[in-house]
Amino acid sequence: MPELPEVETVRRGLLRIAAGRQIQGIDIFYPKMIENPVDEFKEALVGQTIETIDRRGKYLLFRFSNQLTMISHLRMEGSYFNQPTGTTIDKHVHVLFHFTDGTDLGYRDTRKFGRMHLVTTGTEMNYGGLAKIGPEPTAATLTTTYLQEIMHKSRSKIKPFLLDQSHVAGLGNIYVDEVLWETKINPEQPTSTIPAAKVAQLRDNIIHELARATKHHGTTVHTFKNAFGDAGEFQNQLDVYGRSGEACRRCGTKLVKIKVAQRGTTFCPHCQPLVASDD
């Protein structure tokens, strides 16, 4: 599933290929992808202009000129692309927005898991996962004090804790493995037992890692592509994810893959030992 760096990369591409365009018509080939009544969805958007595209966590927010916002979640393999109107499309294209400038914005999703939902602008934070989403992983919004407070109260292991979007927005399997390795924290470490100094390091590493991944246009592990059809580049800089059985780049120990919270998890048993609680 695309994580924050990948979704932010898509957003930046959409600003170039969709922002400022007026919708002339909409073709919907898989109605279940639209969570509103399809006819109402079309009627509300035809004739409107996409003013900008924002992001919150892993959600894209298309802002329209009539004070409506389309919430788009890419889920596993959703992607946007543009092409001249009239160009042939394949069977995996499920929504096609026709612009008045003779171009189309298409949504492709081989697994059909992605969803679009239209709401009044200003109410989007009441929708689904957005209603309880945690702070963005930036220096301004993710504070050490906040992270220390919620981690101290948790009874969860650290990996599922970080995967929970209500704690920190945008982290997924790849980047959780990476930041835990960077901070030398075992993925099964009870969250409340991690000392304050380590929490501060973890917070800094989360911010730095996601910013670095975004700079390199995200990670392509399976099928992720940005809005121009290009793969991300950050997979070439991953330290642990996808490297099970290889040598740790820090100490040389063979990396191990286990399951934590039903997710494949790679870590270094030497650099990331499970530390006993003082309790």
Side-chain angles (χ1 to χ4, degrees):
M1 180 181 292
E3 301 179 31
L4 187 151
E6 291 77 53
V7 180
E8 176 61 17
T9 298
V10 171
R11 185 192 75 83
R12 294 178 184 183
L14 285 167
L15 288 175
R16 294 168 60 185
I17 66 174
R21 269 73 166 187
Q22 185 180 25
I23 295 178
Q24 188 171 49
I26 306 171
D27 289 327
I28 298 171
F29 307 108
Y30 184 66
K32 289 183 180 179
M33 199 154 280
I34 310 301
E35 295 185 335
N36 311 84
V38 169
D39 290 343
E40 292 180 14
F41 182 89
K42 289 182 177 181
E43 184 179 354
L45 294 185
V46 170
Q48 302 303 317
T49 298
I50 300 173
E51 295 187 332
T52 191
I53 300 97
D54 295 325
R55 179 194 54 75
R56 184 72 170 91
K58 301 176 186 180
Y59 294 86
L60 291 166
L61 305 172
F62 290 72
R63 310 294 194 182
F64 287 93
S65 50
N66 59 347
Q67 296 303 303
L68 293 179
T69 290
M70 186 183 79
I71 302 167
S72 171
H73 200 304
L74 303 175
R75 298 289 175 87
M76 295 293 289
E77 296 189 359
S79 63
Y80 285 97
F81 65 93
N82 74 321
Q83 62 183 23
T85 299
T87 304
T88 302
I89 58 172
D90 62 52
K91 65 179 181 180
H92 299 301
V93 176
H94 304 302
V95 182
L96 206 57
F97 298 91
H98 303 290
F99 295 139
T100 56
D101 67 355
T103 65
D104 290 344
L105 177 69
Y107 179 78
R108 180 183 286 111
D109 194 336
T110 57
R111 302 181 73 170
K112 299 182 177 179
F113 289 162
R115 292 293 181 267
M116 300 176 190
H117 187 75
L118 199 61
V119 300
T120 302
T121 298
T123 68
E124 60 274 5
M125 295 309 295
N126 298 322
Y127 170 82
L130 286 170
K132 58 180 182 179
I133 196 167
E136 292 286 311
T138 68
T141 54
L142 180 61
T143 67
T144 302
T145 300
Y146 162 80
L147 201 55
Q148 287 173 342
E149 287 178 353
I150 62 169
M151 286 177 63
H152 179 70
K153 298 174 183 176
S154 175
R155 296 183 179 180
S156 170
K157 296 175 181 179
I158 185 61
K159 176 152 188 180
F161 175 89
L162 292 175
L163 289 173
D164 186 335
Q165 299 299 292
S166 70
H167 296 145
V168 181
L171 282 170
N173 205 39
I174 296 172
Y175 299 112
V176 169
D177 279 6
E178 292 295 303
V179 298
L180 290 177
W181 179 84
E182 289 174 2
T183 319
K184 299 183 180 180
I185 297 174
N186 187 285
E188 295 191 290
Q189 187 70 38
T191 301
S192 63
T193 67
I194 298 172
K198 276 282 187 188
V199 176
Q201 292 175 17
L202 176 63
R203 176 256 186 190
D204 291 346
N205 286 336
I206 288 171
I207 294 168
H208 177 259
E209 180 74 1
L210 293 183
R212 196 163 67 99
T214 301
K215 181 179 178 181
H216 290 275
H217 312 298
T219 297
T220 294
V221 175
H222 298 295
T223 58
F224 167 72
K225 295 221 174 20
N226 65 21
F228 302 100
D230 301 321
E233 303 168 356
F234 197 65
Q235 64 274 9
N236 303 317
Q237 300 187 42
L238 297 176
D239 289 305
V240 284
Y241 185 89
R243 297 188 62 243
S244 175
E246 298 180 33
C248 172
R249 289 175 174 159
R250 190 162 46 209
C251 73
T253 301
K254 184 182 290 188
L255 298 175
V256 173
K257 186 174 183 178
I258 60 174
K259 276 205 170 180
V260 181
Q262 310 303 312
R263 306 297 295 274
T265 301
T266 306
F267 73 105
C268 174
H270 176 75
C271 292
Q272 298 168 264
L274 191 60
V275 180
S277 170
D278 293 333
D279 295 341

